[in-house]
Amino acid sequence: MKNRNINDLLDYLDRSPSPYHAVAESAVRLKKNGWQELSEQDSWDLQADTGYYVIRNGSSLLAFNTGKLMPSFTGFRIITAHTDSPAFRLKSGKLKESQGVYKTGIEVLGGPILSTWLDRDLSLAGRVVVKTEKGIESRLYRKDDASVMIPNPAIHLNRELNQGFEYNPQSQLSLLITASGGDKLQSVHQLIAKEVNLEEDAILDADIIAYDTQKASLTGWNKEYFSSGRIDNLATCHAALEAAVSVSGQDAVTLTALFDNEEIGSRTPHGADSAFLEHVMERIVLASGGIREDYLRSCPASFMISADGAHAVHPNFAKLHDEAYAPVLNGGPVLKVNANWNYSTTGETAAQFRLLCRGAGVNCQSYLNRSDLRGGKSLGPIAASRMGIPSVDVGNPMWSMHSIRETAGVSDHQDMISVLQCHLRQSGK
Ligand code: CO
């Protein structure tokens, strides 16, 4: 069982080089389990004990199981996670010839550890928007093989490199593309069009990021860990989906929200700081025969677990942690607490999560920043504040968060799935 989950996670990570792919892959898994897609533009006729999902922008997905369709009495059991990861996003794909190769400019999306993106076997993924007879259509695009690169300068020509080097994203992090043998190229879109058998000018626009083609893998002497790009936060998306599809017949409506754009602050029409979640929750209540008051009553009766990555203590950098709050890999899920509400955890919601861990037979660790460090944040406070839903921020411990290759613990992943299952199964308050 354990290995099945982990191999399945590695597969999920490999199939999800961009948020669009993560959502498409999540939808495939939900569909396989009999969940049905709903459109926000249609009227909803919901059945009890049935799974549904809704997609916005191709990059955010809300999945819910209706249970006994009594949200106002039981509240919702909610899990949130995010589909995006720090990356390099192609500007518009315009190419410039330089020293015998092409270059395309990038924007830094979110906060990656920039240096980890150099000297890797990179490729491109995202979506292209093409003109069809019916209008414009978005299509997933992914080039599987290593095809673009950002080489470092040689150390001999840049002796300062190991003293701490500041890369300039405008001039030093352009993607190099070696497209030989063809006509003069203006844009990456021409290359993509050719590859997917479209007319050269068929691609009107695109949302493309670079990704690392190295596959997710088990690591550690006894394969206790796994490493991959995008563990923050696709590992949690996977755990949330695994939990969601394994729970049925419960009283409460369960809801799994996988949001895009956490890495850039969530304020987009499909991010956690949009009305997506509240619209879907209210519509579930209305489709269950309730009125708006029932929806408003359901919010304080709900419980949300905002699950994201957590910082495992690093043996070479242990001083970056408060030693009393230094989670280790494979030590179990981590409660994240912050006085300034970078996390949504309160004493009460933390207590509730501890009970869930106890119920799942799983160890619970906790993380607070060193008091002289600012630390990170997550989407929990944003999503919880909009609707007044009691919420807790948690996550699995990992090393190298926001590196192009992160590392996390195998048993933590299984533990997170177990705790999330307990959370979704809880009926009533
Ligand atoms: Co994250």
Side-chain angles (χ1 to χ4, degrees):
M1 180 64 182
K2 226 170 214 179
N3 276 342
R4 193 200 75 78
N5 273 334
I6 283 301
N7 290 331
D8 192 60
L9 166 65
L10 301 184
D11 189 48
Y12 181 79
L13 288 162
D14 288 337
R15 287 173 188 271
S16 308
S18 79
Y20 309 104
H21 289 83
V23 162
E25 176 60 20
S26 303
V28 164
R29 287 155 178 261
L30 290 164
K31 225 178 259 169
K32 251 188 218 159
N33 282 276
W35 293 43
Q36 302 162 33
E37 181 167 7
L38 296 172
S39 162
E40 282 193 276
Q41 295 181 34
D42 292 342
S43 164
W44 293 357
D45 175 24
L46 304 181
Q47 309 300 313
D49 284 323
T50 308
Y52 300 94
Y53 63 93
V54 195
I55 293 172
R56 256 194 204 183
N57 188 48
S59 60
S60 293
L61 178 148
L62 299 195
F64 59 93
N65 184 299
T66 47
K68 300 209 168 94
L69 276 174
M70 300 189 301
S72 62
F73 305 109
T74 58
F76 290 78
R77 295 283 164 263
I78 305 168
I79 305 168
T80 64
H82 64 89
T83 58
D84 60 325
S85 303
F88 288 9
R89 184 183 190 280
L90 262 62
K91 282 185 159 174
S92 72
K94 275 190 188 167
L95 290 170
K96 200 175 146 197
E97 242 184 312
S98 176
Q99 318 301 331
V101 299
Y102 290 103
K103 298 202 306 193
T104 184
I106 56 94
E107 286 181 287
V108 177
L109 190 163
I113 302 177
L114 295 179
S115 60
T116 62
W117 285 72
L118 287 89
D119 304 327
R120 307 290 300 194
D121 292 334
L122 304 179
S123 199
L124 302 178
R127 67 176 175 187
V128 294
V129 186
V130 298
K131 191 172 178 304
T132 69
E133 281 166 12
K134 284 181 249 153
I136 62 167
E137 186 184 301
S138 291
R139 294 183 188 164
L140 287 178
Y141 171 74
R142 167 188 194 148
K143 187 161 172 61
D144 288 321
D145 49 332
S147 51
V148 298
M149 61 208 77
I150 313 172
N152 259 303
I155 190 82
H156 319 74
L157 307 179
N158 186 14
R159 295 277 179 197
E160 309 302 302
L161 195 61
N162 291 334
Q163 270 74 63
F165 183 77
E166 189 176 350
Y167 292 98
N168 182 312
Q170 173 63 26
S171 58
Q172 295 171 329
L173 297 179
S174 291
L175 291 169
L176 303 190
I177 302 186
T178 55
S180 53
D183 300 327
K184 278 257 182 253
L185 291 168
Q186 305 291 325
S187 155
V188 178
H189 299 170
Q190 281 174 281
L191 278 172
I192 294 176
K194 207 169 165 190
E195 208 188 350
V196 296
N197 295 322
L198 289 170
E199 296 287 316
E200 201 175 80
D201 58 354
I203 295 174
L204 299 174
D205 221 305
D207 296 300
I208 303 279
I209 56 174
Y211 78 98
D212 186 3
T213 57
Q214 186 180 353
K215 293 220 176 305
S217 62
L218 293 175
T219 184
W221 204 264
N222 295 309
K223 305 288 173 264
E224 309 92 332
Y225 306 151
F226 61 97
S227 64
S228 169
R230 308 173 301 284
I231 290 176
D232 172 17
N233 183 16
L234 294 181
T236 314
C237 291
H238 178 267
L241 289 168
E242 286 289 292
V245 298
S246 69
V247 171
S248 61
Q250 78 291 353
D251 283 348
V253 177
T254 66
L255 211 158
T256 301
L258 310 182
F259 288 114
D260 191 7
N261 299 137
E262 189 276 340
E263 299 293 352
I264 56 163
S266 296
R267 181 161 289 183
T268 64
H270 40 274
D273 200 4
S274 71
F276 192 18
L277 181 58
E278 55 204 78
H279 284 173
V280 168
M281 284 173 56
E282 183 167 359
R283 292 187 66 173
I284 294 170
V285 174
L286 297 176
S288 311
I291 57 173
R292 183 163 168 82
E293 188 190 30
D294 294 311
Y295 159 65
L296 296 173
R297 287 172 62 203
S298 76
C299 292
S302 299
F303 188 57
M304 179 188 291
I305 294 183
S306 161
D308 201 346
H311 302 301
V313 64
H314 185 318
N316 295 346
F317 293 88
K319 288 221 164 77
L320 296 176
H321 277 68
D322 179 331
E323 62 189 23
Y325 304 98
V328 294
L329 295 184
N330 290 328
V334 179
L335 257 172
K336 302 195 289 188
V337 182
N338 182 261
N340 298 307
W341 255 68
N342 287 333
Y343 301 127
S344 62
T345 311
T346 67
E348 287 184 352
T349 60
Q352 213 155 325
F353 187 74
R354 287 185 198 285
L355 284 182
L356 288 171
C357 287
R358 214 179 278 177
V362 158
N363 188 47
C364 178
Q365 309 188 82
S366 62
Y367 176 78
L368 285 96
N369 291 319
R370 278 179 62 105
S371 304
D372 51 6
L373 265 185
R374 192 163 58 100
K377 51 186 171 194
S378 189
L379 59 80
I382 297 169
S385 301
R386 287 188 68 105
M387 286 164 285
I389 295 177
S391 171
V392 62
D393 265 273
V394 306
N396 270 348
M398 59 194 289
W399 284 331
S400 318
M401 188 184 287
H402 290 195
S403 166
I404 200 165
R405 198 147 179 99
E406 303 162 327
T407 299
V410 165
S411 71
D412 290 332
H413 189 66
Q414 184 57 52
D415 288 351
M416 181 61 88
I417 295 172
S418 304
V419 180
L420 294 178
Q421 282 170 331
C422 275
H423 163 56
L424 297 181
R425 275 198 198 111
Q426 260 203 354
S427 54
K429 292 217 82 181

